[in-house]
Structures are given as C-alpha cells and as structure tokens.
C-alpha cells in the first residue's frame, strides 16, 4: 500500500538543500510543527527536464499533534519567498484517496486545492507543465501513472473536482466546489493534453 507523501517542487533547478532546510525550519517553527527530514529526489529526471527540482519531506506519525502537511500552504509560500521563484507543494494519501496541493509565486496570490487523489495530482501536473503520468510515476510508480493516462484519454471530463478552501481540515465529506478558472499556463497545458488524447485515440484505433 502506498504511504502518504509530501513533496516540494522548486523552480530553482540547482537547488540548495541547506538553504531549503533553513527555510522549512523557520516555517515549521512559526507553525509550531516538528521539522521533517528533507532530501532531494534524484530520480525525478523528467521533472528536472521540465525545470523543477524535487524535494521530499519525510512524514512521521503525528500522535494526534499538528504535522507539517497540515501547513502545506505556509511552507510553500515560505519557499517561494526565500527562493524568489515559483514553488509547488503536494501532499498525497493514496490509500485515503486524498490530495492537497499549493502553488506560490512571489508577488502573486497563492493557489491551493484539495480533493480526490487523482484529481489533485492531475491539476498539480498542469501547474508543473508536465504530463500527469510523469507525476504519477514519481509518487508511486505504475498504478497512478496508468490511471492518469486513462483519464487523459477519457473525454468525459478533464477538470478536477478540487475546491480551494482555507484551513487545514481534510473536508472529504463536503461537496466539491467548482474548479478555479484556468489561467494562461493552464490553457497551454490543456492544449498539450488535448493533443496527447488525439494521438492516443489514433494509436488505439490503429491497434484494433
């Protein structure tokens, strides 16, 4: 069974792990949560090619106390501020079919969403400018990647059911809010996904 994961994406491709740890340490202290162990994910070559350095924060049992993933938005804002560039944070609990993501960029309002695991991963991949299966393989390998690829060729609906609430609860029992309006980056990625769906449809047709 896949374990919950907390991953940060930094637009600073060179990255400085010591600086990142200092930023997260200050942010965790302000949030009154324990500082997690942080490491680079060296296997994320496809994301590196897209301009992102990936760091994973090691999660530990909370024992009923507050944990870093409860403060994902503030952690991501701190990273974007200190590194002076875009930062994206993603928390996933595949077993619970839950995800939460946050996007922050200096000088612009932060964006966040939470909801169904696959929906959140798909929207996060759009923010990152990569195909969904690329992010799925990073998180837990083949199963998520296959599900995202299947969703990409499903013409029934491409947008996630993800609200962008405030606060730290996992509101899976509440009805979803409408998705945020797509911006220019979202429309660009959507065009790429549409092209991928068209090619996949051609491929599947030729196999018959």
């Amino acid at each position: 069974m896949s374990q919950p994961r907390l991953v940060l994406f930094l637009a600073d491709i060179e990255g400085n792990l010591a600086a990142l740890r200092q930023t997260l340490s200050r942010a965790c202290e302000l949030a009154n949560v324990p500082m997690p162990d942080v490491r680079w994910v060296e296997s994320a070559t496809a994301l590196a090619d897209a301009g992102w350095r990936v760091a994973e924060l090691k999660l530990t049992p909370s024992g009923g106390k507050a944990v870093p993933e409860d403060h994902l938005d503030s952690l991501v804002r701190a990273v974007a501020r200190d590194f002076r560039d875009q930062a994206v944070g993603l928390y996933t609990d595949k077993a619970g079919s839950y995800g939460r993501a946050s996007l922050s960029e200096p000088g612009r309002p932060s964006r966040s969403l939470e909801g169904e695991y696959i929906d959140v991963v798909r929207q996060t991949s759009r923010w990152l400018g990569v195909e969904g299966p690329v992010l799925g393989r990073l998180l837990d390998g083949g199963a998520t990647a296959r599900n995202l690829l299947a969703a990409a060729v499903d013409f029934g609906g491409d947008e996630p059911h993800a609200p962008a609430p405030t606060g730290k609860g996992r509101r899976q029992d509440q009805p979803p809010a409408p998705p945020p309006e797509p911006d220019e980056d979202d429309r660009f990625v959507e065009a790429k996904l549409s092209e991928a769906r068209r090619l996949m449809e051609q491929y599947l047709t030729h196999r018959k």
Side-chain angles (χ1 to χ4, degrees):
M1 182 179 296
S2 298
Q3 297 297 316
R5 297 188 66 179
L6 179 56
V7 185
L8 296 177
F9 304 88
L10 285 71
D12 179 1
I13 191 64
E14 295 299 325
N16 183 318
L17 190 57
L20 177 60
R21 284 171 173 158
Q22 290 176 358
T23 292
L24 292 174
S25 178
R26 288 193 297 268
C28 287
E29 184 177 0
L30 287 172
N32 195 29
V33 295
M35 169 66 184
D37 184 42
V38 185
R39 65 178 182 87
W40 294 128
V41 180
E42 301 296 348
S43 61
T45 53
L47 284 152
D49 291 342
W52 298 97
R53 191 71 191 268
V54 184
E56 180 162 15
L57 283 62
K58 184 178 180 181
L59 301 179
T60 56
S62 66
K65 299 179 181 179
V67 286
E69 55 266 35
D70 290 336
H71 298 271
L72 181 61
D73 294 348
S74 61
L75 297 183
V76 174
R77 283 196 300 270
V79 172
R81 181 191 63 241
D82 286 4
F83 282 76
R84 300 179 182 178
D85 212 331
Q86 275 192 341
V88 176
L90 175 63
Y91 170 78
T92 57
D93 178 3
K94 187 179 180 184
S97 190
Y98 171 82
R100 181 178 176 86
S102 180
L103 165 69
S104 186
E105 183 177 0
R108 299 184 64 178
S110 297
R111 299 171 65 181
S112 64
L113 62 117
E114 68 175 331
E116 288 294 323
Y117 171 79
I118 288 292
D119 290 341
V120 173
V121 173
R122 289 169 64 196
Q123 179 59 44
T124 304
S125 71
R126 293 174 184 172
W127 285 348
L128 297 171
V130 300
E131 298 292 342
V134 170
L135 188 53
R137 283 189 290 271
L138 170 73
L139 293 172
D140 71 350
T144 295
R146 286 193 298 272
N147 289 341
L148 287 163
L149 183 59
V153 297
D154 178 6
F155 295 93
D158 225 13
E159 292 299 323
H161 308 295
T166 58
K168 64 180 183 179
R170 297 176 189 172
R171 303 178 178 87
Q172 294 171 276
D173 56 339
Q174 295 183 4
E181 288 296 322
D183 59 18
E184 184 176 350
D185 291 339
D186 291 335
R187 288 191 291 270
F188 173 79
V189 174
E190 185 62 32
K192 293 293 186 182
L193 286 172
S194 296
E195 177 67 11
R197 286 195 299 270
R198 184 182 66 80
L199 294 174
M200 180 60 71
E201 184 181 23
Q202 290 179 354
Y203 170 73
L204 294 174
T205 301
H206 291 158
R207 289 187 59 187
K208 292 179 180 178

